[in-house]
Amino acid sequence: MLVVTWNCNSIRARMPRLLELLRTHQPDVVCLQETKVAAGLFPHLELAMAGYTAIDHSSGTWNGVAVLVPIDTDAAGCVFGLEGQPRPEEARWLEVVVRGVRIVSVYVPNGRRPDHPRFAEKLDFLDAAAARTAVLVESGPTVVAGDINVAPTDDDLWNPRRTTGRTHVTPEERDRVAVLLEQGVRDAWLQAGEGGRYTWWSNHPAAVERDQGMRIDLTLVSDHLDVRRCLVDASFRRGERPSDHAPVLTWLDP
DNA sequence: ATGGTCGGTATCCGA
């Protein structure tokens, strides 16, 4: 089972690249973040023409997550939102059961700056995510995939000196991610990653050329499942109208 | 040296 997670940074702006992703990799599950679309404008028809059904959790201009599966695959048990999340009106957490696996598409708040009120909310969101993940793992096979907006270690940064004191790298954020990883899930890339590890590069044109990136998009897999392979397809960070994130591909065995 | 670009019912703000 191939599970892809991708912060597409607007599903409507990214439709050509999303269709390319579906054609190229023919994934069994796609977790999307930052779809940035109102529910009524979600491109269900175009996706259906490409052979996919979408469950979307949409909140208009900002945020938005979705899970895509092939049209002949059953998607059930949908849960919209995360119990205990700050600002529940922001669409950042979606659970869907696909082929017996509880799939979560998550978009963790950015946090803006460590001294900003939104930063504390980011920490609260990560706490709620860890608590919910523990419940899900207890009930069966679980995959939590998405834009975590935290680089777990300095190895996940092109230049730790440049990011010290900013969001994504503070001990407070990293402690929360460490707790999340203690809930019966493991980081698929750390276990079976191949090739480049960064998943996000700034929109500064030189950032991609110079590989000045971070690994902030993670696929967390419960111990019910084997991780065969994990890779970041950085080709989607280049070419025509790319997102600022690259998709992460994870091959799982039951 | 604190830049740059991209997205959105948008001529600023968030990332």
Side-chain angles (χ1 to χ4, degrees):
Chain A
M1 176 155 103
L2 170 57
V3 177
V4 176
T5 181
W6 191 25
N7 180 323
C8 62
N9 189 7
S10 169
I11 191 171
R12 287 175 296 168
R14 217 61 60 211
M15 273 314 277
R17 302 308 298 269
L18 178 57
L19 295 175
E20 178 190 347
L21 177 80
L22 299 177
R23 262 198 325 272
T24 305
H25 293 297
Q26 300 182 13
D28 300 294
V29 181
V30 182
C31 297
L32 296 175
Q33 302 86 36
E34 280 206 272
T35 50
K36 288 185 171 179
V37 66
L41 297 174
F42 195 94
H44 288 287
L45 185 57
E46 282 172 274
L47 290 169
M49 285 164 55
Y52 280 81
T53 305
I55 292 76
D56 71 297
H57 183 30
S58 302
S59 56
T61 304
W62 304 111
N63 315 305
V65 288
V67 173
L68 275 48
V69 295
I71 271 175
D72 58 5
T73 300
D74 195 38
C78 302
V79 177
F80 299 84
L82 169 65
E83 188 183 345
Q85 78 172 84
R87 301 181 191 267
E89 73 280 10
E90 295 183 347
R92 296 180 175 277
W93 182 276
L94 171 62
E95 302 172 9
V96 182
V97 178
V98 182
R99 290 159 66 170
V101 180
R102 176 89 53 184
I103 304 288
V104 180
S105 179
V106 56
Y107 176 47
V108 173
N110 173 287
R112 303 193 187 181
R113 296 178 309 278
D115 61 354
H116 196 281
R118 295 292 181 110
F119 185 78
E121 294 180 9
K122 178 181 190 175
L123 301 181
D124 291 344
F125 188 98
L126 287 165
D127 286 338
R132 180 64 182 163
T133 298
V135 171
L136 296 179
V137 169
E138 186 70 26
S139 73
T142 301
V143 175
V144 178
D147 180 355
I148 304 300
N149 264 324
V150 180
T153 72
D154 279 354
D155 288 340
D156 300 306
L157 307 172
W158 68 277
N159 185 349
R161 279 175 53 200
R162 292 286 292 262
T163 46
T164 302
R166 298 186 178 191
T167 59
H168 296 59
V169 303
T170 65
E172 292 88 344
E173 291 163 282
R174 285 177 167 172
D175 286 349
R176 262 65 176 198
V177 171
V179 169
L180 181 56
L181 286 162
E182 286 164 6
Q183 308 309 314
V185 292
R186 62 212 190 278
D187 183 330
W189 200 92
L190 287 188
Q191 186 183 329
E194 299 172 15
R197 70 192 281 156
Y198 301 150
T199 65
W200 173 87
W201 297 257
S202 160
N203 268 325
H204 187 305
V208 176
E209 296 161 27
R210 296 173 188 166
D211 199 25
Q212 298 174 342
M214 300 172 87
R215 190 174 74 98
I216 58 177
D217 298 86
L218 308 183
T219 301
L220 309 181
V221 179
S222 75
D223 298 330
H224 310 85
L225 301 160
D226 282 334
V227 179
R228 273 170 57 188
R229 191 180 175 212
C230 182
L231 66 85
V232 183
D233 188 348
S235 73
F236 283 88
R237 184 63 186 86
R238 300 184 291 266
E240 200 73 13
R241 289 192 87 180
S243 170
D244 48 349
H245 296 249
V248 182
L249 284 62
T250 306
W251 284 265
L252 301 169
D253 281 332

